[in-house]
Amino acid sequence: VDAFQAWCGPCKTVVDLLRKIRNEVGSDLLHFAVAEVDSIDALEKYRGKCEPVFLFYAGGALVAVVRGVNATLLQKTILEQL
């Protein structure tokens, strides 16, 4: 989940990376979403930051968090979680 604030918008710079990884691993294993933290109370702790935050969930539980746009770390985290 790309957690973003309305004034900043979702992180568009990693869309190509995420598409590439999804194509490599298959769409059944990996799903991406965006969430505006300003309108979701459960994501309140991510408000007020100007860096993108990527939340990784498995089985309904938060399993990893990557802060900032670090393509290498994002790819590593995705592959590790799969």
Side-chain angles (χ1 to χ4, degrees):
V1 176
D2 178 1
F4 71 95
Q5 293 184 101
W7 58 269
C8 190
C11 185
K12 293 178 170 79
T13 60
V14 297
V15 170
D16 289 337
L17 170 67
L18 300 178
R19 283 188 185 141
K20 176 182 174 250
I21 294 170
R22 187 170 182 204
N23 287 337
E24 290 174 0
V25 301
S27 60
D28 292 339
L29 296 174
L30 189 58
H31 302 279
F32 299 109
V34 295
E36 184 182 335
V37 300
D38 299 318
S39 61
I40 302 171
D41 290 338
L43 299 176
E44 182 178 13
K45 67 180 176 181
Y46 300 106
R47 294 177 190 162
K49 313 272 191 291
C50 66
E51 69 179 346
V53 177
F54 299 91
L55 309 172
F56 296 84
Y57 289 88
L62 183 65
V63 295
V65 176
V66 173
R67 295 179 186 277
V69 179
N70 181 332
T72 303
L73 181 57
L74 278 169
Q75 185 168 8
K76 178 182 177 208
T77 305
I78 291 168
L79 296 176
E80 284 175 355
Q81 294 304 320
L82 288 175

